[in-house]
């Protein structure tokens, strides 16, 4: 499938999606988000893909929702446009998604990165929620995911006063997994994705689901859900294979069953 606003390709077991509106700093408009959702669904359905990387370019991961598209919209247009709802396509993906962020990750761009499961940042990365400077607030999870990630104090400063975080600050505050030299950010994200894609697929899927549940459930219910998922994996061929391979001192051969 070919797209106009993104590039999508397979790198062995990793699906790579690159946002491709460089002249607009990858501003997220409806067509781009629709294509992103379609590419994610295609990789989700593809058994050969074990993990996904979403990247922008060196200058910008994404500078936010497309302000030119939104400027004259009414509340009803926003509601009917299902624009922000397209972010839900990311939440629906069961495979791990890594954001490879270089340059600006602002507004919806920061929210897109935070919707992913992990973030690899180049030294140039800048994270911010500048919506207050254009008369709105984050609408695609910024107030919620940012607060979970960096805590109330920093989230308040970012949402209320457009404080931007450097890559190093983002690492210190727990927003990103690692900061790497500029020329390495995409390769590092692809290598991390390839490593995860080499793990037992069902275990990876349930591991992701359980970590995400930690944000939804009280501890006692989260612990119960985790235990059921743990027991469930003993019904898989990969659990038998993984433990037998350990005992036989050999590499496991995963079937995803
Ligand atoms: N929407 C539409 N176009 C955008 C854009 C955006 N979010 N961000 C940048 N662009 C466009 C600019 O209009 C410009 O286009 P033209 O050449 O046609 O004028 C081009 O990208 C390059 O941008 P700049 O000339 O502004 O580049 P710069 O280096 O001087 O500044 C910047 C870079 C600081 C990122 C600046 O572009 C900027 O502030 N962008 C907007 C950031 C923002 O407010 N994002 C939040 C959007 S709202 C949102 O995301 C809501 C939500 O939660 C869902």
């Amino acid at each position: 499938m070919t797209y106009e606003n993104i590039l999508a390709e397979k790198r062995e077991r990793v699906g790579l999606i690159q946002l491709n509106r460089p002249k607009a700093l990858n501003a997220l408009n409806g067509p781009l988000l629709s294509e992103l959702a379609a590419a994610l669904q295609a990789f989700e359905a593809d058994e050969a893909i074990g993990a996904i990387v979403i990247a922008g370019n060196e200058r910008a991961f994404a500078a936010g929702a497309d302000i030119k598209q939104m400027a004259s919209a009414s509340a009803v247009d926003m509601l009917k446009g299902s624009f922000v709802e397209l972010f839900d396509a990311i939440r629906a993906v069961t495979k791990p998604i890594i954001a490879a962020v270089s340059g600006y990750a602002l507004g919806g761009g920061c929210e897109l990165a935070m919707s992913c499961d992990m973030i690899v940042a180049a030294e140039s990365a800048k994270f911010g929620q500048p919506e207050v400077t254009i008369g709105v607030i984050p609408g695609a999870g910024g107030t919620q995911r940012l607060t979970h990630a960096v805590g109330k104090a920093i989230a308040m400063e970012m949402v209320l006063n457009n404080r931007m975080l450097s890559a190093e600050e983002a690492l210190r505050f727990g927003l990103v997994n690692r900061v790497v030299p500029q020329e390495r950010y995409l390769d590092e994200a692809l290598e991390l994705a390839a490593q995860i894609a080499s793990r037992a697929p069902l275990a990876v899927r349930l591991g992701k689901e359980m970590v995400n549940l930690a944000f939804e459930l009280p501890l006692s219910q989260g612990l119960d859900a985790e235990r059921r998922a743990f027991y469930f994996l003993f019904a898989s061929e990969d659990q038998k294979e993984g433990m037998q391979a350990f005992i036989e001192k050999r590499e496991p051969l995963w079937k995803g069953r």
Side-chain angles (χ1 to χ4, degrees):
M1 195 166 174
T2 51
Y3 302 101
E4 285 177 17
N5 300 282
I6 63 168
L7 303 168
E9 62 177 284
K10 291 194 216 179
R11 302 262 183 111
E12 299 185 354
R13 293 212 6 101
V14 176
L16 170 62
I17 298 171
Q18 287 178 285
L19 312 182
N20 193 28
R21 293 187 72 210
K23 286 186 185 144
L25 302 185
N26 289 331
L28 306 167
N29 61 10
L32 185 151
L33 284 175
S34 297
E35 290 182 6
L36 177 62
L40 285 171
Q41 278 158 13
F43 286 143
E44 173 78 353
D46 186 340
E47 288 234 4
I49 294 296
I52 299 163
V53 171
I54 300 178
N57 55 47
E58 293 230 331
R59 189 166 170 222
F61 177 71
D66 192 316
I67 299 169
K68 292 167 187 167
Q69 177 186 291
M70 289 183 301
S72 58
S74 68
V76 175
D77 293 335
M78 291 302 286
L79 181 74
K80 285 191 169 171
S82 307
F83 168 73
V84 175
E85 283 71 12
L86 285 166
F87 279 78
D88 293 345
I90 304 162
R91 202 156 42 126
V93 175
T94 65
K95 293 174 185 177
I97 309 179
I98 296 166
V101 176
S102 174
Y104 296 112
L106 304 180
C110 187
E111 293 169 304
L112 174 60
M114 291 191 294
S115 302
C116 297
D117 302 305
M118 286 168 242
I119 302 177
V120 172
E123 287 158 343
S124 67
K126 286 188 189 66
F127 297 88
Q129 298 289 163
E131 286 86 350
V132 74
T133 67
I134 54 169
V136 288
I137 63 168
T143 62
Q144 305 301 298
R145 289 203 174 92
L146 195 59
T147 309
H148 279 300
V150 304
K152 177 177 167 180
I154 303 296
M156 282 290 188
E157 225 180 316
M158 292 175 74
V159 172
L160 306 190
N161 200 28
N162 190 22
R163 171 162 174 193
M164 277 192 207
L165 300 186
S166 67
E168 278 306 327
E169 286 175 319
L171 183 66
R172 185 148 36 95
F173 298 143
L175 184 61
V176 307
N177 292 71
R178 55 184 83 164
V179 178
V180 301
Q182 188 62 37
E183 62 280 7
R184 290 279 309 146
Y185 81 97
L186 187 55
D187 287 341
E188 292 264 352
L190 288 166
E191 280 165 25
L192 178 58
Q195 272 174 10
I196 295 169
S198 76
R199 313 288 182 197
L202 292 174
V204 167
R205 175 177 172 154
L206 287 179
K208 167 172 168 161
E209 192 181 322
M210 291 304 126
V211 173
N212 280 331
L213 267 189
F215 293 101
E216 311 278 349
L217 295 179
L219 181 61
S220 57
Q221 288 177 28
L223 292 172
D224 287 346
E226 180 196 79
R227 198 168 304 164
R228 283 194 294 275
F230 174 67
Y231 293 157
F232 174 84
L233 286 168
F234 283 77
S236 72
E237 291 178 33
D238 284 351
Q239 174 268 327
K240 302 287 174 284
E241 166 66 6
M243 294 192 182
Q244 200 56 38
F246 173 83
I247 291 164
E248 293 170 9
K249 299 188 188 301
R250 62 172 173 83
E251 287 298 311
L253 205 64
W254 306 124
K255 291 186 183 155
R257 268 184 264 143

